Amino acid sequence: MATITKNPAPSNDATPGPLVKLPAPGARLATIAGSAVALAGTFMAWTWTSEFPGDLTVTGYPAGLQVLVLIGAALTLLFALSGQGIRGLGWLTPGGANAATRLTALGTLGTIGYTMGAIAAELGGVVNLEPGAWITGIGALIAAVAALALPFDQPYPADDSDPGAWARFRHSLTAPAAPRVSSKLPSWAEILIIVAGFALALIVFTYGIGTEGAEPFIGFLITVGFCFTGANRAGVVSRLTALTHKHRNVALTAAFAAALCFPLTQDNDYFALIGTNILIFATVALGLNVVVGLAGLLDLGYVAFLGVGAYTAALVSGTSSSVFDVQFPFWAAVLTGAGASLVFGVVIGAPTLRLRGDYLAIVTLGFGEIFRITVNNLNGKAGPDVTNGSQGITQIPDVVLFGWDLGQPLDIAGFTLGRNANYFLLMLFFTVIVVTVFRRSGESRIGRAWVAIREDETAATAMGINGFRVKLIAFALGATLAGLAGAVQAHVSYSVTPDSYKFASTAPPNSAFLLAAVILGGMGTVSGPLIGGALLFLIPAKLSFMENYQLLAFGLALIILMRFRPEGIIADRRKQLEFHDTGQLDVPEQRLPPEGGVSATKAGA
């Protein structure tokens, strides 16, 4: 049993107070041994029948969920060896190895535990488990239990003599983030690391979107969630983030190149369709991030601007179901849709942006519902025949650009791109435009004014910022970006209907999911809404059996996120300082003049 000692000595860490250290050298050795056993077990058969998704019946090479467990066990082994002081692995854990080891070990145990339970449930009992599954499970259990006994990477304020396993796990998630470590590598090596990072992200995303069946995808979520959090606690993510900030243009180019390669990796055109819809949803979320993340305006009817762009582009697309006998070129249809959304943004924002907080949220929610009801009533009976009511506008033709019909397969360098892959590339072009606009506007003078309004509108107005004008610009810009995405969405889906633009429904895009994507990903950041939008679209697409419980599941996910990471998955420095206790005083220390020859120091309350 590990001994517990208290160390009252001061520390440079941000967390003050007495510290609890749990020196347990045997715990790390047990973690190494357990993860090695779990890794070896992935090369053995886990079940005897191929009825379970993935080929888990072959001995000699892993497949399906075995690959995920192998990755988790391998990362646990590497992090544990790094904490052991193995030469050459220190670069892997610049922020500390123990928390990362603990998280990846728990993720490995969670994945193998879920897999064993799913096999038993689907095939009729634990008798369907082969010895390989038991060996892997026992090894993962040993590694997880031993990892919970590892000491803390950072000081832990001790309220009692033994913080317990739950406190150790909570501390791994909520301790101050590992500091960014300055890199001493040459520039070419840093660029190679950035490229490798985005290549790894492409591999992970491609693997996740290509999983067939709910069981492999749930295992994928467990593994990626714990391993990413572990890598973040180890400092790997912070180091990569520092490199991307240093070489920002290189990072954006690498991200674009990785996304450009995605359709070339897909044999199934349906997966390319999921990728296209993810880009549409994530791009709209990034437009909402201008309104919510930068300007701090709670807009609950933002999906209506997506609908305005989609309906406008559909009406001028030349479809037979449109009442207007016109056919604009695609670029003109996109500009028309974006312009219509801009007009609606100004018309709705001008009278409502003088409101604040909950009142603004209620008004924008009302606008979203009014838009849906209006287009539903423009059916020739309750109103003029413009949108065909609940039937919507259908048979929207495919886009033709420079003689290239996106509805027809295209052969490029031996790769065949189907219709959905073509639209993925088209939507990727618009995503780059939206990201560029967001970056430029956020770093401009108007972007700083948005942040000032978000933090304290009264103080910003007192400093000379025209709050109404600044907020109206944010509202109009967000609406325009949504209109761009809506124009592409109309052509991708062949039709637009009123039911696609509700506040909350079981299928995105809708205002509730868009807002959740911004909060989940990280408000005010570029990559945050893109990641949040990808998750919130991909998860419902893969877990169709949870259709009736999606809102409940996402509600619980947001509660957990607010508890452990309120700044979102990707957060800027301002949010991290705002939501986490750094141990710094709220008011700087004030030096008092000496009284009676004795100096005194008083800290502000």
Side-chain angles (χ1 to χ4, degrees), residues 311-338:
Y311 265 96
T312 303
L315 288 172
V316 298
S317 65
T319 176
S320 58
S321 60
S322 173
V323 296
F324 302 108
D325 189 17
V326 294
Q327 184 173 1
F328 286 6
F330 176 70
W331 63 268
V334 169
L335 294 179
T336 305

Side-chain angles (χ1 to χ4, degrees), residues 441-538:
S441 59
E443 296 172 356
S444 65
R445 181 178 180 181
I446 192 69
R448 294 191 295 271
W450 287 337
V451 174
I453 290 290
R454 181 191 69 191
E455 297 299 324
D456 193 330
E457 184 173 351
T458 302
T461 303
M463 296 302 294
I465 296 177
N466 189 333
F468 173 76
R469 182 176 65 88
V470 168
K471 291 190 292 185
L472 185 60
I473 293 174
F475 213 73
L477 178 60
T480 304
L481 298 181
L484 287 175
V488 180
Q489 184 201 35
H491 290 84
V492 171
S493 59
Y494 287 123
S495 64
V496 289
T497 58
D499 290 338
S500 301
Y501 308 104
K502 296 181 178 180
F503 167 72
S505 62
T506 58
N510 56 69
S511 293
F513 276 33
L514 288 171
L515 186 60
V518 174
I519 297 173
L520 175 67
M523 294 189 297
T525 62
V526 176
S527 55
L530 298 177
I531 295 176
L535 288 176
L536 291 186
F537 192 94
L538 182 60

